[in-house]
Amino acid sequence: MDPMIMFLGSFWRPCQAQAVFDTLPSASQHQPAHSRRQLPLDKTLFIPKRSGTAAQALSLRGSWARNPPATGLGELSGRRWRAEGICLLLCSLLLPALFLSGILCVCLVVLLWGIRLWIQRKKQLSSVGGDGKRPLLVAFFHPYCNAGGGGERVLWCAIRTLQKKYRNVTCVVYTGDRDATGEEIVEGAFRRFNIKLIHPVKFVFLEKRFLVEASLYPHFTLLGQSLGSVFLGWEALLKCVPDIYIDSMGYAFTIPLFKYLGGCRVGCYVHYPTISTDMLSVVRNQDTRFNNAAFITSSPLFSKFKLVYYYFFAFMYGLVGSCSDVVMVNSSWTLNHILSLWRAGACTSVVYPPCDVQTFLDIPLEVEKSTSEYSIVSVSQFRPEKDHPLQIRAFAKLLKERVGPQPSLKLILIGGCRNQQDEERVNNLKCLCEELGVSDDVVFRINIPFEELKRRLAEATIGLHTMWNEHFGIGVVECMAAGTVILAHNSGGPKLDIVVPHEGHVTGFLAEDEDSYAETMAYIFSLSPEKRLEIRENARRSVHRFSLQHFEDTLICGAII
């Protein structure tokens, strides 16, 4: 007998079969006369025959198999039988799957708990100090600590602040800058930021920093870098287990690793959220930006897919960020986004970055003397979000629209290069200058010492900043303290915290695009020297709230030591 027939037959009930077969046509209508008496009957599937014609109708190999009814009770019963079979199959698989999942979860919990105990044991066996006591280890996760940006200034100021306040603290820096020694890194911090540490710092050099390089992930960059930071954080945790862990560079996905496996108290200083509600709005509105390519904005399907990806990442980012014991953010703009994503308002506070305003305030401020050349200075790292091309295009437009004999202008781009990608970006900017015909009027100064930075700012008339939604803007503060007339982007920290009226007086200007930047620069140069001096004085008086002393006070209040 056909196995399929036997399988279906196992689900039949006699009464159902009788009711169905009573509706079937006689098999004699379809069989030749000489074969009607030889029709085989399968007694295992059917009820006892009621009549001669009914008995013939009870064969599935007979007329019903060749001419099944198109509709009716037979079709409905078949669907019901198939549904019952599928349900039984699913039920037979569900219980073993649940049991296996439970076993795997228990094994995972046991494994993680074992790893935690092993790490804690390793921590207890670590070296003790000269007085027989183990010093308190405060570790900063900063893979690019030898770069020259505002984030690095926060790092070194935070370390110096802790060294001044606590004698039993040993500061550790997880870094991937293996091309320099610890002494060279500390010397670079002094040369760039004029920051001299009180005690030595322990450096833990990481070998897998390439896992957080954006170039490694041409697509799904945020997710790739975040997952890469977990592996980099694991390497850091195995090499040194601290008492307090502080993420000072925005790798929030390492926080649960150090908290739950390392058993550390954890905190973070957020310069810029990895993802923000503004980024979600850009994708939702299909706006083309440096992080939202044109081929995505031109496709509704790609845009929707990226929006789903961003929402998923924002959810995961909120989960890992909420594990922090203390959250410090650098501006009101960052605070708003972190509160909406992490929902950790009870432990979140604003700590403005330390700006060396006093050093720049020492620069004499006086009315500009007549000169044949004015300079416009930009201070920022050569990263794509800083939007240096906008500065060059706006400057080229300014030169093009000038008429009559006027003093010459120079655009001076000052910044740090972290890696080969930044160097390639500088080369591309130089090509843009040649394309626009302003190569002779644009000067690039890369990784310059602090003294040259002071001199360049002291000689400048305008301080230029073009990053959209800059999280804070240390370079903006430094330009204002040095006495330049600041022109920043009308968004983020500059708009909410820095370039705001001070006691009702103007402290600087804001712009958004190439045209508005060129027009505002032309307007600033059209002002009288006395009017520009008034704006510069107002700006100087407003920057005292961003001083190093204010940073030290607020950092200690939010510390977790």
Side-chain angles (χ1 to χ4, degrees), residues 390 464-468 486-491 509-521:
L390 175 57
L464 190 60
H465 168 274
T466 52
M467 178 178 172
W468 172 73
I486 189 65
L487 173 56
H489 198 282
N490 188 25
S491 63
F509 299 90
L510 300 170
E512 296 182 356
D513 52 25
E514 179 181 328
D515 292 336
S516 59
Y517 269 100
E519 292 173 1
T520 307
M521 283 190 286

Side-chain angles (χ1 to χ4, degrees), residues 165-238:
K165 183 69 176 181
Y166 303 101
R167 300 185 59 183
N168 64 327
V169 165
T170 296
C171 293
V172 178
V173 177
Y174 298 116
T175 178
D177 294 305
R178 295 188 296 154
D179 56 343
T181 65
E183 293 76 11
E184 291 173 342
I185 294 175
V186 173
E187 176 61 28
F190 176 72
R191 179 171 52 87
R192 295 188 186 105
F193 308 116
N194 197 31
I195 298 175
K196 189 172 182 62
L197 301 181
I198 302 173
H199 303 296
V201 172
K202 177 181 177 181
F203 290 92
V204 176
F205 292 93
L206 307 177
E207 299 177 359
K208 296 181 176 61
R209 191 179 70 177
F210 67 92
L211 293 176
V212 297
E213 292 281 355
S215 58
L216 189 63
Y217 312 98
H219 306 291
F220 300 99
T221 307
L222 295 180
L223 183 60
Q225 286 183 293
S226 298
L227 294 178
S229 70
V230 175
F231 289 97
L232 188 64
W234 175 249
E235 179 189 354
L237 183 59
L238 292 182

Side-chain angles (χ1 to χ4, degrees), residues 3-76:
M4 188 62 184
I5 299 299
M6 296 183 65
F7 174 74
L8 293 175
S10 66
F11 292 95
W12 286 13
R13 298 173 185 171
C15 59
Q16 293 173 331
Q18 180 65 58
V20 172
F21 295 136
D22 283 347
T23 65
L24 299 179
S26 173
S28 61
Q29 300 176 9
H30 305 284
Q31 295 289 333
H34 64 275
S35 62
R36 290 175 184 174
R37 295 184 178 275
Q38 301 176 6
L39 196 69
L41 295 177
D42 192 340
K43 295 181 180 181
T44 62
L45 294 178
F46 308 108
I47 62 174
K49 60 183 180 179
R50 295 167 55 187
S51 64
T53 58
Q56 295 175 353
L58 295 180
S59 175
L60 289 179
R61 300 179 186 272
S63 62
W64 192 23
R66 291 190 298 271
N67 300 287
T71 59
L73 183 58
E75 181 178 354
L76 295 177

Side-chain angles (χ1 to χ4, degrees), residues 53-340:
T53 58
Q56 295 175 353
L58 295 180
S59 175
L60 289 179
R61 300 179 186 272
S63 62
W64 192 23
R66 291 190 298 271
N67 300 287
T71 59
L73 183 58
E75 181 178 354
L76 295 177
S77 299
R79 293 177 180 175
R80 176 183 173 185
W81 297 334
R82 288 193 295 270
E84 289 180 354
I86 293 173
C87 290
L88 289 174
L89 179 62
L90 293 178
C91 290
S92 65
L93 295 177
L94 181 60
L95 291 179
L98 291 176
F99 179 76
L100 182 60
S101 299
I103 293 296
L104 292 177
C105 290
V106 171
C107 292
L108 180 61
V109 171
V110 172
L111 176 63
L112 294 177
W113 186 254
I115 293 175
R116 177 186 171 95
L117 294 178
W118 173 66
I119 291 177
Q120 293 303 307
R121 177 63 176 170
K122 182 179 179 180
K123 178 179 178 180
Q124 293 174 359
L125 296 177
S126 60
S127 59
V128 297
D131 57 355
K133 298 181 180 179
R134 184 180 179 275
L136 187 70
L137 292 182
V138 180
F140 293 84
F141 191 78
H142 210 103
Y144 295 92
C145 72
N146 201 30
E152 288 66 57
R153 179 175 181 80
V154 172
L155 169 68
W156 301 119
C157 286
I159 291 176
R160 186 174 65 178
T161 300
L162 293 179
Q163 291 179 344
K164 289 169 61 177
K165 183 69 176 181
Y166 303 101
R167 300 185 59 183
N168 64 327
V169 165
T170 296
C171 293
V172 178
V173 177
Y174 298 116
T175 178
D177 294 305
R178 295 188 296 154
D179 56 343
T181 65
E183 293 76 11
E184 291 173 342
I185 294 175
V186 173
E187 176 61 28
F190 176 72
R191 179 171 52 87
R192 295 188 186 105
F193 308 116
N194 197 31
I195 298 175
K196 189 172 182 62
L197 301 181
I198 302 173
H199 303 296
V201 172
K202 177 181 177 181
F203 290 92
V204 176
F205 292 93
L206 307 177
E207 299 177 359
K208 296 181 176 61
R209 191 179 70 177
F210 67 92
L211 293 176
V212 297
E213 292 281 355
S215 58
L216 189 63
Y217 312 98
H219 306 291
F220 300 99
T221 307
L222 295 180
L223 183 60
Q225 286 183 293
S226 298
L227 294 178
S229 70
V230 175
F231 289 97
L232 188 64
W234 175 249
E235 179 189 354
L237 183 59
L238 292 182
K239 290 186 174 181
C240 179
V241 185
D243 299 292
I244 297 174
Y245 171 79
I246 299 176
D247 167 38
S248 57
M249 204 174 176
Y251 294 105
F253 281 73
T254 63
I255 293 174
L257 187 69
F258 279 83
K259 181 172 184 176
Y260 297 114
L261 292 185
C264 311
R265 285 171 287 173
V266 295
C268 60
Y269 188 94
V270 183
H271 298 275
Y272 192 87
T274 305
I275 191 169
S276 64
T277 53
D278 288 339
M279 294 170 64
L280 295 173
S281 299
V282 167
V283 178
R284 187 184 304 111
N285 300 330
Q286 296 182 245
D287 295 335
T288 302
R289 300 274 182 173
F290 76 93
N291 57 355
N292 196 35
F295 80 91
I296 293 180
T297 59
S298 60
S299 171
L301 178 62
F302 286 169
S303 294
K304 291 185 181 301
F305 179 79
K306 185 171 183 178
L307 188 61
V308 171
Y309 160 58
Y310 267 19
Y311 271 112
F312 168 76
F313 184 84
F315 172 74
M316 297 300 299
Y317 184 62
L319 284 181
V320 298
S322 62
C323 297
S324 296
D325 298 314
V326 169
V327 180
M328 292 170 280
V329 299
N330 63 347
S331 68
S332 301
W333 181 88
T334 306
L335 175 67
N336 295 334
H337 287 283
I338 289 299
L339 290 179
S340 65

